[in-house]
Amino acid sequence: MTQHVSPPRDTAGPTPPARLPVWRGLPARADLRTLSLLGVLAALVVIGGVTKPDEFLDTRNLQLVLTQASVIGVVTVGMTFVITSGGIDLSVGAIVALASVWATTVATQEYGFAGILFTAVVVGLGCGLVNGLLVAYGGMVPFIATLAMLASARGLALQLTDGKTQIVTVDGILNLGERDSYVLGVPPLVLVFAIVTVLGWLLLNRTTFGRRTVAVGGNAEAARLAGIDVRRQRLYLYLLSGLCCGIAAFLLIVLSGSGQNTNGNLYELDAIAAAIIGGTLLSGGRGTVTGSVLGVLVFTTITNIFALNNLQSDVQQIAKGAIIVAAVLVQRRTASTT
């Protein structure tokens, strides 16, 4: 006798809609952060225009703001990569100081423009190499390794200068700071900053190097199991940070026409702060060059507005601190909802 077997019934009910992965929402949040920073920057421009319209909105003042942002901005691009990988670099200011004084010694200036540029870049790369070796292959915590570099570089810069300012006498360097060298009204330093920013954005967002950087910062062990040489990647990142410091030192030499052991003071804090408010996570795994650059412009504009209104520097530092705290709280809020 033939038995008829009825097909099994679906007792599980309707299939729930698939939950979208968290990473799908990252571009939207990134766009929101960028728009927020643009809004803050626009508000600062309005404040500056209202409080000191004739001075703040003057073309020369706006050029000054962009020029001052260029030096710390180049440093911040390198810092963004390091923080994205889960590291930190406290030595960037000291490296800028060391590179600037080494590149402006009498012996170096005898080689002219090329000698100064080459020396600044090589010193930056050398310091970055030491940091990278200590962190990646020496197993040192980035905080300790770069703190040691901070102290050593500052000490060496002081020893080289004996506490004196080294004046640049090379015409090719001095001419870059003149208005005659501006390209369509844009200072050369700003053009260099723009080029570094574009290259940094492409490197982080459109290359394998950038994807490896994010992977190492997100989960170093998972990145290692995926075939990424984590130690070599970290070495490259500190080399990149050192390179940016060398370029920034050269820009600072052009801007000031001198080399001093006090150059780059607190650059490390400004660069970290700009990266944080731009949306780069201190814990690593997420970074944005665009946001970091906007963060630099926000801080530089605040400094300029305070200076034009003759407000004390301590109030400026309090304002910066409040902005940093607010940015970190927003990051924690965003992380808890993902």
Side-chain angles (χ1 to χ4, degrees):
M1 185 174 180
T2 304
Q3 295 182 348
H4 296 280
V5 180
S6 59
R9 291 180 299 173
D10 185 6
T11 60
T15 304
R19 184 178 180 181
L20 292 176
V22 172
W23 59 266
R24 288 287 184 88
L26 290 179
R29 289 196 296 272
D31 290 341
L32 181 60
R33 284 192 300 269
T34 301
L35 291 175
S36 299
L37 284 173
L38 287 173
V40 171
L41 188 59
L44 290 173
V45 171
V46 171
I47 293 173
V50 171
T51 57
K52 292 288 182 178
D54 295 333
E55 300 175 29
F56 180 79
L57 297 178
D58 183 73
T59 302
R60 294 196 176 190
N61 183 64
L62 296 178
Q63 290 172 338
L64 175 63
V65 171
L66 292 175
T67 301
Q68 292 175 338
S70 298
V71 180
I72 185 62
V74 171
V75 174
T76 303
V77 171
M79 181 70 79
T80 300
F81 278 85
V82 173
I83 296 178
T84 302
S85 71
I88 199 73
D89 191 348
L90 300 179
S91 64
V92 290
I95 294 175
V96 169
L98 179 59
S100 68
V101 300
W102 206 323
T104 54
T105 59
V106 175
T108 304
Q109 292 194 49
E110 291 180 355
Y111 294 94
F113 183 100
I116 293 177
L117 175 59
F118 177 80
T119 302
V121 171
V122 168
V123 171
L125 283 172
C127 293
L129 176 63
V130 173
N131 281 336
L133 290 175
L134 291 176
V135 172
Y137 295 95
M140 292 185 67
V141 177
F143 182 91
I144 300 300
T146 58
L147 185 62
M149 175 58 72
L150 183 156
S152 301
R154 282 288 178 193
L156 184 54
L158 179 60
Q159 187 178 44
L160 286 174
T161 61
D162 196 23
K164 300 177 182 178
T165 300
Q166 299 176 162
I167 305 299
V168 176
T169 59
V170 179
D171 292 336
I173 297 293
L174 299 176
N175 291 338
L176 281 179
E178 301 294 332
R179 297 186 63 83
D180 293 340
S181 64
Y182 288 11
V183 179
L184 299 177
V186 181
L189 275 66
V190 179
L191 293 177
V192 174
F193 176 35
I195 292 172
V196 171
T197 298
V198 171
L199 292 178
W201 186 89
L202 291 173
L203 187 62
L204 183 61
N205 296 281
R206 293 292 184 267
T207 66
T208 303
F209 181 88
R211 289 191 290 272
R212 289 175 177 172
T213 300
V214 174
V216 169
N219 190 323
E221 181 60 22
R224 185 188 66 82
L225 294 176
I228 298 175
D229 191 331
V230 175
R231 293 189 299 178
R232 185 173 61 186
Q233 185 70 17
R234 285 174 174 162
L235 174 62
Y236 289 162
L237 289 167
Y238 281 98
L239 277 172
L240 178 61
S241 179
L243 173 62
C244 289
C245 289
I247 296 173
F250 178 76
L251 297 182
L252 192 57
I253 292 171
V254 173
L255 182 62
S256 63
S258 64
Q260 305 177 52
N261 66 286
T262 56
N263 282 342
N265 187 35
L266 296 181
Y267 273 18
E268 56 277 359
L269 300 184
D270 289 341
I272 293 171
I276 290 173
I277 72 168
T280 299
L281 284 180
L282 269 176
S283 57
R286 188 182 74 200
T288 162
V289 172
T290 303
S292 296
V293 170
L294 289 175
V296 170
L297 293 176
V298 166
F299 280 137
T300 308
T301 305
I302 290 175
T303 302
N304 183 259
I305 293 174
F306 274 63
L308 291 177
N309 287 276
N310 297 319
L311 296 176
Q312 297 180 356
S313 60
D314 54 351
V315 181
Q316 173 187 325
Q317 297 303 323
I318 293 173
K320 283 186 177 181
I323 293 174
I324 295 171
V325 171
V328 172
L329 290 177
V330 170
Q331 282 192 359
R332 289 173 61 88
R333 177 80 174 177
T334 303
S336 64
T337 57
T338 56

